[in-house]
């Protein structure tokens, strides 16, 4: 830390700092909490940030900062103190840091102004104001505020009341010992994988241990985010690990339960795969609806207004959060039932609970969409097209087919294609070429559904319909096959494809767009993979052929998707994706 004698000296000192480092300006009269400065000056997610009397700039905003400082120097004089005159109309802009923040915004550089709540951050101009500011600072426990703010603002009932009251202290313990959120995230994954292994033993002791370890894994899962917020250790890699590991942990646990059940003489692989399919489809409904309305321009619908009104009544908030069976409630249910019952009962409860939650949330979103007159943007339409995951076959159909008009045409066509494909897999003779014909119809209809920009009121349903068509078709054909271990192979294939779809979501949410087109073409798109599995089921009718083909396809998709995903997320262009407010 260096002290500048005047504004000109501050510009000189800043220019001398190596280009790759963050810099900060703090008014020498600053009075406030240390955590207020920490929020304003150390959060790595923002190129520039400010609190009253302090300003920081990451390397990418350094040039704009120096230009603004030099303009300020010219305005107040090179030899003026690093405190601007007190004649500005906005009190927070009286200091040089405040003036520069305004100048940066005027130039087009976004400046983050974090919410401080009860924390104090001010620049007093006389002894009386300083005494008042110091008194306000001393009345608030800086550490208590820091601990409270480490907890996610909107979380489920179980997480809020059964985990967060003590996990925040675990986060502080980790911070004081130099542990990083990524290390805690990895520990959570390892614990969940050990839980999966315990469940796979098929013994009562293994099930009890699995339930306990799953809860421990969830505590660590909460702790990593709280540690990131407590110590402001946000990172691109951490955001990606946290987002993807949650899915990996849950689905690996499903597989462990299924293996354990088989060892106990009860084959529940179909239930395990059904639970994964249902959960993945729930997620894509959430993602698709949110992306469609991310920047929609319209007044709030009556349904949304009713939802806001219900949120003003305390107990309804928690009831509605529990109804959707968020990750905390879901994992608690799975853990308790694993320890006390059987894997079959666990999956029955999971399927029933997730189905009811899906009906509740989807019905609410349908009502919001139908009662809101929204104008969706090109960005939203592109996001839905990316989430659709259309491959070369559907894109070829869309290129030659005229766009079908009508407010609800795209979701209606997508639904029709989904019903044709799933109906063919369910009701046509297994191995029949008619199933291949149904897949051909699905390819054509999926191309027609995306032939026009997805800007309709219900067009956000198109990606979920496609996910359901692909996942359920693979599940049904594997379940109807006589090939041994076909359903576990299908579990692996859907896991690989689902990872690709989650990866697409996190890239879009980070503002970098979908995975490259070569990747989508290489793995065939949703319609290509669905058609391929239908062909394989018709052609490979001997005992092990279908299982081998599904396994090979799963390995190929996983290799291509994982290599490209890891390359992207460790690159400098990867965005930071945060899950604030999401119940997963």
């Amino acid at each position: 830390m260096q002290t500048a004698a005047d504004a000109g000296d501050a510009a000189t000192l800043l220019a001398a700092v190596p280009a790759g480092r963050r810099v900060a300006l703090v008014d020498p009269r600053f009075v406030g909490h240390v955590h207020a400065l920490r929020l304003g000056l150390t959060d790595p997610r923002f190129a520039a940030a400010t609190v009253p009397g302090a300003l920081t700039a990451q390397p990418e905003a350094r040039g704009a900062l120096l230009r603004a400082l030099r303009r300020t120097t010219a305005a107040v004089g090179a030899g003026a103190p690093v405190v601007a005159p007190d004649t500005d109309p906005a009190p927070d802009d009286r200091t040089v840091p405040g003036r520069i923040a305004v100048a940066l915004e005027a130039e087009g550089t976004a400046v983050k102004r974090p919410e401080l709540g009860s924390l104090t951050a001010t620049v007093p101009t006389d002894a009386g104001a300083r005494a008042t500011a110091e008194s306000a600072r001393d009345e608030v426990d800086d550490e208590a505020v820091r601990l409270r703010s480490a907890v996610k603002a909107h979380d489920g009932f179980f997480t809020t009341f059964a985990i967060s009251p003590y996990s925040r202290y675990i986060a502080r313990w980790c911070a004081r010992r130099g542990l990083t959120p990524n290390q805690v995230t990895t520990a959570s994954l390892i614990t969940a994988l050990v839980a999966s292994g315990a469940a796979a033993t098929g013994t009562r002791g293994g099930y009890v241990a699995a339930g306990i370890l799953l809860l421990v894994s969830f505590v660590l899962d909460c702790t990593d985010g709280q540690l990131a917020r407590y110590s402001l250790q946000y990172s691109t890699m951490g955001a990606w690990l946290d987002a993807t590991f949650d899915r990996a942990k849950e689905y690996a646990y499903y597989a462990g339960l299924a293996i354990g059940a088989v060892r106990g003489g009860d084959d529940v692989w179909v239930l395990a795969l059904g639970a994964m399919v249902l959960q993945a489809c729930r997620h894509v409904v959430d993602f698709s609806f949110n992306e469609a309305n991310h920047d929609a321009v319209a007044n709030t619908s009556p349904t949304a207004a009713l939802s806001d009104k219900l949120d003003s009544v305390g107990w309804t908030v928690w009831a509605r959060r529990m109804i959707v069976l968020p990750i905390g409630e879901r994992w608690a249910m799975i853990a308790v039932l694993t320890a006390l019952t059987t894997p079959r009962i666990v999956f029955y409860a999971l399927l029933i609970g997730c189905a009811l939650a899906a009906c509740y949330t989807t019905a609410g979103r349908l009502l919001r969409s139908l009662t809101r007159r929204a104008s969706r943007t090109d960005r939203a339409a592109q996001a839905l097209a990316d989430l659709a995951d259309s491959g070369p076959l559907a894109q070829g159909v869309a290129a030659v087919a005229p766009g079908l008009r009508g407010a609800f045409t795209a979701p209606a066509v997508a639904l029709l294609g989904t019903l044709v494909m799933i109906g063919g897999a369910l009701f046509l003779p297994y191995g029949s070429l008619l199933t291949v014909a149904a897949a051909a119809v699905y390819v054509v209809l999926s191309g027609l559904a995306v032939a026009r920009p997805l800007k309709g009121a219900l067009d956000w349903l198109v990606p979920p319909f496609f996910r359901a068509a692909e996942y359920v078709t693979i599940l049904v054909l594997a379940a109807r096959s006589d090939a041994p271990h076909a359903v576990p192979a299908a579990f692996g294939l859907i896991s690989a494809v689902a990872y690709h779809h989650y990866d697409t979501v996190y890239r879009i949410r980070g503002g970098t767009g979908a995975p490259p087109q070569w990747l989508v073409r290489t793995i065939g798109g949703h319609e290509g993979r669905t058609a391929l599995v239908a062909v394989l089921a018709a052609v490979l009718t001997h005992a092990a052929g279908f299982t081998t083909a599904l396994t090979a396809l799963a390995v190929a998709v996983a290799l291509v998707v994982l290599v490209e995903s890891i390359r992207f997320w460790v690159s400098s262009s990867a965005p930071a994706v945060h899950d604030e407010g999401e119940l997963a």
Side-chain angles (χ1 to χ4, degrees), residues 209-231:
I212 294 172
L213 287 170
L214 188 64
L215 289 177
V216 172
S217 174
F218 183 65
V219 172
L220 293 174
D221 183 53
C222 296
T223 300
D224 63 1
Q226 291 167 356
L227 174 58
R229 287 182 284 272
Y230 180 84
S231 58

Side-chain angles (χ1 to χ4, degrees), residues 97-401:
R99 282 177 172 269
I100 295 173
V102 173
L104 284 173
E105 291 173 322
E107 186 177 306
T109 300
V111 179
K112 175 65 177 179
R113 300 174 186 270
E115 292 289 337
L116 299 181
S118 59
L119 295 175
T120 296
T122 187
V123 179
T125 56
D126 55 48
R130 171 170 289 274
T132 301
E134 290 175 346
S135 175
R137 179 195 62 193
D138 295 341
E139 288 176 358
V140 175
D141 185 342
D142 180 88
E143 180 61 18
V145 173
R146 189 181 181 190
L147 274 173
R148 285 198 304 271
S149 62
V151 177
K152 188 186 293 186
H154 304 286
D155 226 328
F157 182 88
F158 178 77
T159 304
T160 299
F161 294 104
I163 304 296
S164 293
Y166 58 87
S167 61
R168 69 184 75 180
Y169 296 101
I170 300 176
R172 182 171 66 181
W173 183 90
C174 292
R176 291 178 175 177
R177 281 151 184 81
L179 297 176
T180 67
N182 290 355
Q183 291 171 332
V184 178
T185 301
T186 303
S188 175
L189 174 66
I190 292 172
T191 305
L193 293 179
V194 173
S196 301
T201 63
T203 64
R204 177 52 51 195
Y207 289 148
V208 172
I212 294 172
L213 287 170
L214 188 64
L215 289 177
V216 172
S217 174
F218 183 65
V219 172
L220 293 174
D221 183 53
C222 296
T223 300
D224 63 1
Q226 291 167 356
L227 174 58
R229 287 182 284 272
Y230 180 84
S231 58
L232 298 178
Q233 295 184 73
Y234 300 103
S235 69
T236 295
M237 178 63 72
W240 175 61
L241 291 177
D242 186 54
T244 55
F245 280 8
D246 279 351
R247 308 286 83 81
K249 288 181 289 189
E250 185 167 2
Y251 299 156
Y253 192 82
Y254 293 176
L257 278 177
I259 293 171
V262 170
R263 287 186 171 181
D266 187 14
D267 190 342
V268 296
W269 269 109
V270 170
L271 295 178
L273 184 50
M276 183 173 73
V277 167
L278 178 56
Q279 190 60 26
C281 288
R282 281 187 64 198
H283 283 144
V284 79
V285 167
D286 295 342
F287 298 145
S288 189
F289 177 81
N290 290 337
E291 288 302 323
N293 295 280
H294 177 75
D295 49 6
V297 179
N299 58 336
T300 303
S301 71
T303 307
L306 175 60
S307 177
D308 293 339
K309 185 176 181 179
L310 288 174
D311 282 344
S312 65
V313 182
W315 69 269
T316 65
V317 175
W318 298 114
R320 293 167 69 211
R321 289 185 186 178
M322 294 174 68
I323 287 173
V324 301
L325 203 64
I327 188 169
E329 278 75 357
R330 194 166 67 248
W331 283 26
M333 180 185 74
I334 294 171
V336 171
L337 291 179
T338 297
L340 300 180
T341 64
T342 65
R344 181 173 290 274
I345 293 176
V346 172
F347 286 123
Y348 281 153
L350 193 59
L351 286 166
I352 293 171
C354 287
L356 292 175
C359 290
Y360 170 77
T361 55
T362 304
R365 284 166 180 160
L366 285 170
L367 287 173
R368 290 189 183 212
S369 300
L370 292 172
T371 57
R372 184 183 187 189
R373 299 294 180 263
S375 299
R376 291 183 172 83
T377 63
D378 292 338
R379 177 203 173 279
Q382 183 59 52
L384 292 180
D386 292 335
L387 289 174
D389 192 33
S390 299
L393 296 178
Q395 290 176 0
V397 172
V400 300

Side-chain angles (χ1 to χ4, degrees), residues 524-546:
H526 71 92
E527 81 290 348
R529 291 186 298 270
T530 305
L532 177 58
V533 172
V535 171
L536 292 173
V539 174
L540 301 175
T541 55
H542 56 284
F546 189 48

